[in-house]
Amino acid sequence: MTQVLGKVVTFDEFVAKYPDNRGQRYELYDGVVVEIPQPTGDHEEIVVFLSTKITLEYSRLSLTYGIPKTVLVKPLENESAYSPDLLLLNLTNLVNEPLWKKASTVTQAASIPLVIEVVSTNWRDDYLKKYADYEEMGISEYWIVDYSALGGREFIGKPKQPTILICCLEEGEYRVSKFRGNDRIQSTTFPELDLTAEQIFSAGMIS
């Protein structure tokens, strides 16, 4: 589970203090610093798999994109800052990002073609808070990869089963599509991406 730390802080205070040199991940939720637990191996295998497939695709298309190691996504409307499991950057727009040089932080949807969260025990953050903030920011595509079917029944149905939700922005709101089993992933960012939900889930069963 996530651990809430201390008092309410501003974004500037957050980036000045966190992350520190312990290698721990932190996020900021409306001024509250949250310590993110160490992910499982299955979680990280899925992140590696998706990072590889997406890198191959944007490289094939000669797009000026990149997947960074540690970059924060900050909604302008509140004192929050997220460290997504996978963040795809539009490198050409970074010159327009006011916080990029000093804090490796992006605030503009034009910098973020795609963001992916692989669901852990703090699943409500991915389905509720991050969903709302990414939508409000205007991020065009957001994937929620729930490989262990941890999310609530209102999101993944009953009986629960591993599900990928792909949220695509339409007229300022997310349209949500669900993918399971042999369903082929349908991405607006990468419409030719040849990948099924099961291939993504199976990436967490390699070891």
Side-chain angles (χ1 to χ4, degrees):
M1 299 293 289
T2 55
Q3 180 180 356
V4 177
L5 305 180
K7 63 179 182 179
V8 173
V9 301
T10 66
F11 172 76
D12 289 339
E13 290 170 333
F14 172 73
V15 295
K17 184 175 181 181
Y18 301 95
D20 61 17
N21 59 7
R22 294 179 300 170
Q24 179 61 52
R25 290 176 60 205
Y26 299 92
E27 293 184 321
L28 187 66
Y29 293 6
D30 295 319
V32 177
V33 177
V34 175
E35 182 177 331
I36 306 300
Q38 179 70 12
T40 65
D42 289 347
H43 178 286
E44 291 301 273
E45 286 171 5
I46 289 174
V47 172
V48 169
F49 177 80
L50 285 172
S51 298
T52 301
K53 294 297 183 181
I54 289 171
T55 298
L56 289 171
E57 188 66 4
Y58 73 67
S59 298
R60 182 183 71 84
L61 297 170
S62 299
L63 298 171
T64 54
Y65 290 169
I67 297 176
K69 180 181 179 182
T70 51
V71 169
L72 294 174
V73 174
K74 184 191 183 310
L76 290 175
E77 294 77 14
N78 55 49
E79 294 293 326
S80 295
Y82 306 126
S83 177
D85 290 311
L86 193 154
L87 175 62
L88 184 66
L89 288 181
N90 175 7
L91 303 177
T92 60
N93 194 65
L94 296 181
V95 296
N96 300 315
E97 287 285 358
L99 300 174
W100 177 252
K101 290 294 186 181
K102 72 172 185 176
S104 62
T105 297
V106 291
T107 62
Q108 301 174 10
S111 299
I112 311 167
L114 172 65
V115 63
I116 298 176
E117 300 286 0
V118 179
V119 176
S120 299
T121 52
N122 56 327
W123 60 267
R124 289 176 179 82
D125 298 331
D126 299 329
Y127 280 101
L128 298 170
K129 178 153 184 55
K130 291 182 181 180
Y131 177 100
D133 280 346
Y134 292 158
E135 182 182 63
E136 180 67 23
M137 290 178 70
I139 295 173
S140 60
E141 188 168 346
Y142 170 37
W143 295 17
I144 303 173
V145 179
D146 196 345
Y147 70 98
S148 290
L150 295 174
R153 296 182 184 90
E154 67 269 36
F155 304 111
I156 60 175
K158 183 181 178 181
K160 291 185 179 184
Q161 56 184 307
T163 305
I164 297 172
L165 281 70
I166 295 186
C167 314
C168 297
L169 202 68
E170 290 186 359
E171 299 180 354
E173 297 181 0
Y174 278 142
R175 172 181 56 81
V176 180
S177 301
K178 299 177 184 179
F179 302 88
R180 305 180 178 98
N182 291 321
D183 294 343
R184 182 179 178 275
I185 295 299
Q186 297 178 23
S187 166
T188 56
T189 306
F190 298 112
E192 297 177 33
L193 188 64
D194 187 12
L195 201 57
T196 68
E198 185 57 37
Q199 286 176 306
I200 295 171
F201 299 142
S202 296
M205 305 176 187
I206 294 173
S207 57

